[in-house]
Amino acid sequence: MHYLHDYQTPAYLIDTVNLVFDLNEKYTIVTAKLYLYANPIIPIHQRHSDLVLNGELLELLSIELDGKLLEKIQFQKTEKSLTILQVPEAFFLEIRTRIRPQENTALSGLYQSNGNFCTQCEAQGFRRITYFLDRPDVMARFTVTIIADKERYPVLLSNGNLVSHQKLPEGKQIVIWEDPFKKPCYLFALVAGHLDCAEDFFVTQSGRQVTLRIYVEKGNLPKCAHAMQAIKKAMRWDEEKFGREYDLDIYMIVAVSDFNSGAMENKGLNIFNTQYILADPATATDMDYIHIESVIAHEYCHNWTGNRITCRDWFQLSLKEGLTIFRDQNFTADTTSPVVARIHDVVGLRNSQFPEDAGPLAHPVRPECYVEINNFYTSTVYNKGAEVIRMQQIILGDVLFRKGMDLYFARHDGQAVTIEEFVKAMEDVSDVDLKQFRLWYSQAGTPVLDIVDDYDATKKTYTLTIKQSCPATPQQPAKKPFHIPIKIGLLDSSGKEIIHDFLQLKSPEEKFTFNSIASKPIPSLLRGFSAPVKINYAYADSDLQILFKYDTDLFNRWEAGQRYTVKLILNLIQDFRAGISLQLPTDYSSIFKFLLETMQDKDKWLLAEMLTLPSEKYLAEQMKIIDVDAIHFVREFVLTELALQLQIVFLEIYEKNHDKKSIIKFDNKFDTHEMGQRQLKNICLMYLMILNNKLYFSMGLNQFNNALLSNMTDTMAALRCLVNIENPEREKVLAQFYQQWQNDALVVDKWFALQATATSPDTLSRVKQLLKHPAFDIKNPNKVYALIGAFGQRNPVRFHTDTGEGYQFLADCVLQLDALNPQIAARMVTPLSEWQRYDKKRQHLMRDQLEMIMRQKNISHNVSELVNKSLV
Ligand SMILES: [Zn+2]
């Protein structure tokens, strides 16, 4: 176990790193020449004279210190380290190792993807390349030499600028890359292979021209245009919004098919999962287009928040990730629809972070201990971390927050710092005391606000009493009160806004009184989701209707609809369980009718979001003991009833917005108006098709057939409905889709995911069959996410089938994966960790599988840490 409070300043630092890679077909020889020196801030009498380097799965060939070969008695080697005994104050160290990238299935360190070499070093992959001080607070200047066969690996890349390129005898070539910026080794990258390249350029605000290159596997060049535009958009945005300019003469992105996560911000040489680069309208959906832009913006933004200023240690991961998610969320809000972007952020947080905070794996945004750091690339560190930054912006206001950012950049450029330093910069520019606010970083759990109100008709005063609490989480039974920014508005009974205000809750309970309020108002609470908390307030249906129709805060308008639906569905679940026949109140559907009629020509995208009911996962979060079957049944009932009652207007809107040719011209940009139109008509189609009648079925089928070659948004929308209908056409369209796109790996992933999330009873046996499909490859993370991950995480009703077969299936997959790629195995196991939320029978079945995993020998740290915590 590693503890934050054990942090020690590094005893030795590295000034320069000279790496030579000799890439071969069976192995690679790495020669690392390091110049090291004793850290001057540690007094000599406190310094240890042995140098301890990290290293894993390395075959040590030789070590030289200041040009002299070391004898066996001068160093000690273990499985995870290399200790050089009695080193001088400053010295050169040359270490030669042999590694086997071709056999590396963990995809950490140097490995191969479709025959090309690439790297992933965050968090601790560099120690699988050479012995090193593998910690982010050791920053050094890197020079990288790559020697490889010219035919097989014409493209040889590393960080920084290319300074030399020469032919060698025997068909080989040698290149040298130099990175002028000091960096920690987790930002090192190397790529070698047969790649096509798209090139463009960007002129920065100070007039420097930067070459932009995107490298992709052969044949994918036509799908890079959107990504290239996105880079330029992100570079301009960061200049305008945060005054940050790019610093090298070249910015490169390489897209690879085998990658554990989405993308990696290596200095000047980002490596991306192909999923977040490749797009054209025929193969990528509108949401894919948006995700590509946001991931590109994210990795680009890391150049300042992550690379120029990095983390002192991995407990500070949110310093770069929370902040950079915050920055990419702002980018998406600024360049698409701010309210829809915010809705998506919040839905994401509620579907993934809230359950994490409520379960056995709950941890603070800045964790205090870990066994395996790769288990902490979580929604809490990323998404809640971003909310914590956002709250600081709300508390300081936009102007002071920007000043704080500027100060943070100016003060810490080139350093490895802590979250504390970020908050300090915010305090220093504002004179706001954030002492209590810091608890957001150290206390886990989602705070709950219990709110009651009181209207005094004689004094014309309105009072909100807000009480905060936070449930116990592992190692944190009791919490101190948080500093919570709460944006609110008050509406009169006709929906007109009387007041908007910003409250700051610091005590366990506080009263906020508003004067000169003519009649009892309707409170619009936590506008824009100003804090990542849950709210309990006894809204009457009529209040929610007013807010849903008229709230000027568009996020809260959407939120009122979600609240209204959650309330309704929870009531219907009680009826369902009591055997009472279900009835949808007419004022529920009439409010949707009102929205459809008044909003369809205004904000189509927002309307589509308002017509989307809360997910089964979010509904599950509202129940003490989750009843997956009841949730699924009742949610389907509400959808069907809405469809029945509103089919005429759904049909009308569908026809008005449906382009029969379904051909989109993106012209390198994508139009949020057109996207909104597609979102809206496709949600109307979903409602209609749930009615399962011939007319609507053939409408869906027609959309599928017309769009199949040209528009993936429309194809997927229709196909998603078709696969959930028991009909012989189902197999036909699935086969047709596969036939058409079998050579496009990313589209095949969609085909897997669609089947894994289908709600039909035969889904699990289908998923098992698909594991044997020739297009499935358990070594490829995208395929694993698409099939196994989608089933375990996005198909509650089939995963939690009460026979326990879903659990058994997942546990077997976890074991199989663990032997190949522990990081991916650990990400698959998490649905089982939530066992305490289910009924006794399921609890036993889930625990049985967790215990079965623990009984295995040689289980990875990654999986055992999560399973152990889950079983406590
Ligand atoms: Zn990141």
Side-chain angles (χ1 to χ4, degrees), residues 494-513:
S494 72
K496 216 172 124 270
E497 182 170 294
I498 317 166
I499 258 180
H500 62 93
D501 204 353
F502 166 46
L503 316 174
Q504 301 198 53
L505 178 67
K506 295 182 179 173
S507 316
E509 185 175 325
E510 266 176 75
K511 283 186 194 306
F512 300 91
T513 299

PDB file of all heavy atoms in Angstrom, residues 494-513:
ATOM      1  N   SER A 494     -46.781  31.809 -12.058  1.00  0.00           N
ATOM      2  CA  SER A 494     -46.962  31.800 -13.514  1.00  0.00           C
ATOM      3  C   SER A 494     -45.660  31.428 -14.224  1.00  0.00           C
ATOM      4  O   SER A 494     -45.596  31.385 -15.448  1.00  0.00           O
ATOM      5  CB  SER A 494     -47.432  33.171 -13.998  1.00  0.00           C
ATOM      6  OG  SER A 494     -46.358  34.093 -13.905  1.00  0.00           O
ATOM      7  N   GLY A 495     -44.592  31.180 -13.453  1.00  0.00           N
ATOM      8  CA  GLY A 495     -43.322  30.774 -14.042  1.00  0.00           C
ATOM      9  C   GLY A 495     -42.375  31.938 -14.283  1.00  0.00           C
ATOM     10  O   GLY A 495     -41.309  31.770 -14.865  1.00  0.00           O
ATOM     11  N   LYS A 496     -42.749  33.148 -13.822  1.00  0.00           N
ATOM     12  CA  LYS A 496     -41.879  34.306 -14.022  1.00  0.00           C
ATOM     13  C   LYS A 496     -40.814  34.342 -12.930  1.00  0.00           C
ATOM     14  O   LYS A 496     -41.110  34.106 -11.761  1.00  0.00           O
ATOM     15  CB  LYS A 496     -42.719  35.591 -13.983  1.00  0.00           C
ATOM     16  CG  LYS A 496     -42.219  36.644 -14.948  1.00  0.00           C
ATOM     17  CD  LYS A 496     -43.198  37.805 -15.007  1.00  0.00           C
ATOM     18  CE  LYS A 496     -42.540  39.111 -14.675  1.00  0.00           C
ATOM     19  NZ  LYS A 496     -42.424  39.690 -13.429  1.00  0.00           N
ATOM     20  N   GLU A 497     -39.598  34.692 -13.308  1.00  0.00           N
ATOM     21  CA  GLU A 497     -38.523  34.728 -12.310  1.00  0.00           C
ATOM     22  C   GLU A 497     -38.619  35.982 -11.459  1.00  0.00           C
ATOM     23  O   GLU A 497     -38.721  37.090 -11.988  1.00  0.00           O
ATOM     24  CB  GLU A 497     -37.163  34.681 -13.017  1.00  0.00           C
ATOM     25  CG  GLU A 497     -36.017  34.659 -12.030  1.00  0.00           C
ATOM     26  CD  GLU A 497     -34.674  34.359 -12.696  1.00  0.00           C
ATOM     27  OE1 GLU A 497     -34.500  33.240 -13.192  1.00  0.00           O
ATOM     28  OE2 GLU A 497     -33.835  35.266 -12.721  1.00  0.00           O
ATOM     29  N   ILE A 498     -38.573  35.791 -10.122  1.00  0.00           N
ATOM     30  CA  ILE A 498     -38.627  36.953  -9.225  1.00  0.00           C
ATOM     31  C   ILE A 498     -37.215  37.356  -8.816  1.00  0.00           C
ATOM     32  O   ILE A 498     -36.874  38.522  -8.714  1.00  0.00           O
ATOM     33  CB  ILE A 498     -39.411  36.631  -7.922  1.00  0.00           C
ATOM     34  CG1 ILE A 498     -40.677  35.832  -8.234  1.00  0.00           C
ATOM     35  CG2 ILE A 498     -39.732  37.879  -7.156  1.00  0.00           C
ATOM     36  CD1 ILE A 498     -41.289  35.196  -6.987  1.00  0.00           C
ATOM     37  N   ILE A 499     -36.390  36.356  -8.566  1.00  0.00           N
ATOM     38  CA  ILE A 499     -35.071  36.603  -7.994  1.00  0.00           C
ATOM     39  C   ILE A 499     -34.125  35.517  -8.449  1.00  0.00           C
ATOM     40  O   ILE A 499     -34.541  34.369  -8.636  1.00  0.00           O
ATOM     41  CB  ILE A 499     -35.195  36.542  -6.435  1.00  0.00           C
ATOM     42  CG1 ILE A 499     -35.229  37.936  -5.825  1.00  0.00           C
ATOM     43  CG2 ILE A 499     -34.078  35.749  -5.795  1.00  0.00           C
ATOM     44  CD1 ILE A 499     -35.341  37.922  -4.322  1.00  0.00           C
ATOM     45  N   HIS A 500     -32.849  35.883  -8.663  1.00  0.00           N
ATOM     46  CA  HIS A 500     -31.855  34.810  -8.720  1.00  0.00           C
ATOM     47  C   HIS A 500     -30.704  35.182  -7.806  1.00  0.00           C
ATOM     48  O   HIS A 500     -30.421  36.367  -7.604  1.00  0.00           O
ATOM     49  CB  HIS A 500     -31.401  34.513 -10.151  1.00  0.00           C
ATOM     50  CG  HIS A 500     -30.726  35.670 -10.820  1.00  0.00           C
ATOM     51  ND1 HIS A 500     -29.375  35.844 -10.810  1.00  0.00           N
ATOM     52  CD2 HIS A 500     -31.239  36.723 -11.498  1.00  0.00           C
ATOM     53  CE1 HIS A 500     -29.072  36.947 -11.464  1.00  0.00           C
ATOM     54  NE2 HIS A 500     -30.173  37.502 -11.898  1.00  0.00           N
ATOM     55  N   ASP A 501     -30.081  34.202  -7.203  1.00  0.00           N
ATOM     56  CA  ASP A 501     -29.120  34.495  -6.147  1.00  0.00           C
ATOM     57  C   ASP A 501     -28.083  33.372  -6.065  1.00  0.00           C
ATOM     58  O   ASP A 501     -28.242  32.311  -6.672  1.00  0.00           O
ATOM     59  CB  ASP A 501     -29.868  34.615  -4.806  1.00  0.00           C
ATOM     60  CG  ASP A 501     -29.076  35.458  -3.804  1.00  0.00           C
ATOM     61  OD1 ASP A 501     -27.921  35.827  -4.113  1.00  0.00           O
ATOM     62  OD2 ASP A 501     -29.608  35.718  -2.711  1.00  0.00           O
ATOM     63  N   PHE A 502     -27.054  33.656  -5.294  1.00  0.00           N
ATOM     64  CA  PHE A 502     -25.977  32.699  -5.124  1.00  0.00           C
ATOM     65  C   PHE A 502     -25.712  32.552  -3.632  1.00  0.00           C
ATOM     66  O   PHE A 502     -25.345  33.517  -2.977  1.00  0.00           O
ATOM     67  CB  PHE A 502     -24.751  33.213  -5.890  1.00  0.00           C
ATOM     68  CG  PHE A 502     -23.473  32.521  -5.551  1.00  0.00           C
ATOM     69  CD1 PHE A 502     -23.409  31.132  -5.478  1.00  0.00           C
ATOM     70  CD2 PHE A 502     -22.320  33.247  -5.295  1.00  0.00           C
ATOM     71  CE1 PHE A 502     -22.229  30.491  -5.155  1.00  0.00           C
ATOM     72  CE2 PHE A 502     -21.130  32.611  -4.990  1.00  0.00           C
ATOM     73  CZ  PHE A 502     -21.084  31.230  -4.916  1.00  0.00           C
ATOM     74  N   LEU A 503     -25.972  31.374  -3.105  1.00  0.00           N
ATOM     75  CA  LEU A 503     -25.817  31.143  -1.668  1.00  0.00           C
ATOM     76  C   LEU A 503     -24.566  30.317  -1.411  1.00  0.00           C
ATOM     77  O   LEU A 503     -24.183  29.498  -2.239  1.00  0.00           O
ATOM     78  CB  LEU A 503     -27.034  30.380  -1.122  1.00  0.00           C
ATOM     79  CG  LEU A 503     -28.415  30.842  -1.593  1.00  0.00           C
ATOM     80  CD1 LEU A 503     -29.482  29.883  -1.084  1.00  0.00           C
ATOM     81  CD2 LEU A 503     -28.687  32.265  -1.129  1.00  0.00           C
ATOM     82  N   GLN A 504     -23.952  30.549  -0.255  1.00  0.00           N
ATOM     83  CA  GLN A 504     -22.808  29.710   0.103  1.00  0.00           C
ATOM     84  C   GLN A 504     -23.104  29.042   1.438  1.00  0.00           C
ATOM     85  O   GLN A 504     -23.190  29.690   2.465  1.00  0.00           O
ATOM     86  CB  GLN A 504     -21.534  30.545   0.188  1.00  0.00           C
ATOM     87  CG  GLN A 504     -21.232  31.234  -1.135  1.00  0.00           C
ATOM     88  CD  GLN A 504     -19.792  31.694  -1.241  1.00  0.00           C
ATOM     89  OE1 GLN A 504     -18.869  30.904  -1.040  1.00  0.00           O
ATOM     90  NE2 GLN A 504     -19.596  32.960  -1.538  1.00  0.00           N
ATOM     91  N   LEU A 505     -23.242  27.738   1.380  1.00  0.00           N
ATOM     92  CA  LEU A 505     -23.549  26.970   2.578  1.00  0.00           C
ATOM     93  C   LEU A 505     -22.240  26.475   3.186  1.00  0.00           C
ATOM     94  O   LEU A 505     -21.448  25.811   2.510  1.00  0.00           O
ATOM     95  CB  LEU A 505     -24.450  25.784   2.208  1.00  0.00           C
ATOM     96  CG  LEU A 505     -24.841  24.846   3.338  1.00  0.00           C
ATOM     97  CD1 LEU A 505     -25.756  25.539   4.342  1.00  0.00           C
ATOM     98  CD2 LEU A 505     -25.533  23.598   2.779  1.00  0.00           C
ATOM     99  N   LYS A 506     -22.038  26.803   4.462  1.00  0.00           N
ATOM    100  CA  LYS A 506     -20.806  26.348   5.115  1.00  0.00           C
ATOM    101  C   LYS A 506     -21.085  25.554   6.381  1.00  0.00           C
ATOM    102  O   LYS A 506     -20.286  24.725   6.794  1.00  0.00           O
ATOM    103  CB  LYS A 506     -19.906  27.543   5.438  1.00  0.00           C
ATOM    104  CG  LYS A 506     -19.388  28.253   4.185  1.00  0.00           C
ATOM    105  CD  LYS A 506     -18.467  29.413   4.537  1.00  0.00           C
ATOM    106  CE  LYS A 506     -17.961  30.087   3.267  1.00  0.00           C
ATOM    107  NZ  LYS A 506     -17.210  31.299   3.557  1.00  0.00           N
ATOM    108  N   SER A 507     -22.190  25.848   7.030  1.00  0.00           N
ATOM    109  CA  SER A 507     -22.519  25.166   8.290  1.00  0.00           C
ATOM    110  C   SER A 507     -23.334  23.912   8.005  1.00  0.00           C
ATOM    111  O   SER A 507     -23.825  23.731   6.905  1.00  0.00           O
ATOM    112  CB  SER A 507     -23.358  26.093   9.176  1.00  0.00           C
ATOM    113  OG  SER A 507     -22.818  27.378   9.159  1.00  0.00           O
ATOM    114  N   PRO A 508     -23.512  23.081   9.040  1.00  0.00           N
ATOM    115  CA  PRO A 508     -24.371  21.905   8.850  1.00  0.00           C
ATOM    116  C   PRO A 508     -25.793  22.330   8.458  1.00  0.00           C
ATOM    117  O   PRO A 508     -26.455  21.658   7.706  1.00  0.00           O
ATOM    118  CB  PRO A 508     -24.370  21.235  10.221  1.00  0.00           C
ATOM    119  CG  PRO A 508     -23.141  21.732  10.901  1.00  0.00           C
ATOM    120  CD  PRO A 508     -22.873  23.104  10.378  1.00  0.00           C
ATOM    121  N   GLU A 509     -26.239  23.474   9.011  1.00  0.00           N
ATOM    122  CA  GLU A 509     -27.585  23.941   8.674  1.00  0.00           C
ATOM    123  C   GLU A 509     -27.592  25.461   8.641  1.00  0.00           C
ATOM    124  O   GLU A 509     -27.023  26.111   9.507  1.00  0.00           O
ATOM    125  CB  GLU A 509     -28.583  23.435   9.717  1.00  0.00           C
ATOM    126  CG  GLU A 509     -30.009  23.784   9.363  1.00  0.00           C
ATOM    127  CD  GLU A 509     -31.029  23.171  10.326  1.00  0.00           C
ATOM    128  OE1 GLU A 509     -30.795  22.038  10.814  1.00  0.00           O
ATOM    129  OE2 GLU A 509     -32.040  23.838  10.584  1.00  0.00           O
ATOM    130  N   GLU A 510     -28.241  26.015   7.616  1.00  0.00           N
ATOM    131  CA  GLU A 510     -28.323  27.475   7.535  1.00  0.00           C
ATOM    132  C   GLU A 510     -29.670  27.901   6.994  1.00  0.00           C
ATOM    133  O   GLU A 510     -30.295  27.171   6.229  1.00  0.00           O
ATOM    134  CB  GLU A 510     -27.226  28.022   6.611  1.00  0.00           C
ATOM    135  CG  GLU A 510     -25.958  28.431   7.350  1.00  0.00           C
ATOM    136  CD  GLU A 510     -24.849  28.887   6.410  1.00  0.00           C
ATOM    137  OE1 GLU A 510     -24.927  30.010   5.883  1.00  0.00           O
ATOM    138  OE2 GLU A 510     -23.907  28.092   6.199  1.00  0.00           O
ATOM    139  N   LYS A 511     -30.085  29.119   7.392  1.00  0.00           N
ATOM    140  CA  LYS A 511     -31.325  29.689   6.858  1.00  0.00           C
ATOM    141  C   LYS A 511     -30.980  30.861   5.952  1.00  0.00           C
ATOM    142  O   LYS A 511     -30.109  31.658   6.263  1.00  0.00           O
ATOM    143  CB  LYS A 511     -32.189  30.211   8.019  1.00  0.00           C
ATOM    144  CG  LYS A 511     -32.922  29.125   8.784  1.00  0.00           C
ATOM    145  CD  LYS A 511     -33.867  29.780   9.801  1.00  0.00           C
ATOM    146  CE  LYS A 511     -34.386  28.790  10.829  1.00  0.00           C
ATOM    147  NZ  LYS A 511     -35.022  27.594  10.311  1.00  0.00           N
ATOM    148  N   PHE A 512     -31.674  30.936   4.834  1.00  0.00           N
ATOM    149  CA  PHE A 512     -31.482  32.047   3.901  1.00  0.00           C
ATOM    150  C   PHE A 512     -32.849  32.688   3.679  1.00  0.00           C
ATOM    151  O   PHE A 512     -33.780  32.012   3.228  1.00  0.00           O
ATOM    152  CB  PHE A 512     -30.916  31.554   2.578  1.00  0.00           C
ATOM    153  CG  PHE A 512     -29.580  30.866   2.716  1.00  0.00           C
ATOM    154  CD1 PHE A 512     -29.499  29.491   2.904  1.00  0.00           C
ATOM    155  CD2 PHE A 512     -28.394  31.608   2.679  1.00  0.00           C
ATOM    156  CE1 PHE A 512     -28.266  28.850   3.043  1.00  0.00           C
ATOM    157  CE2 PHE A 512     -27.154  30.976   2.813  1.00  0.00           C
ATOM    158  CZ  PHE A 512     -27.091  29.594   2.996  1.00  0.00           C
ATOM    159  N   THR A 513     -32.950  33.975   4.005  1.00  0.00           N
ATOM    160  CA  THR A 513     -34.263  34.639   3.908  1.00  0.00           C
ATOM    161  C   THR A 513     -34.277  35.685   2.795  1.00  0.00           C
ATOM    162  O   THR A 513     -33.309  36.419   2.608  1.00  0.00           O
ATOM    163  CB  THR A 513     -34.621  35.290   5.258  1.00  0.00           C
ATOM    164  OG1 THR A 513     -34.684  34.245   6.235  1.00  0.00           O
ATOM    165  CG2 THR A 513     -35.975  35.989   5.214  1.00  0.00           C
TER     166      THR A 513
END
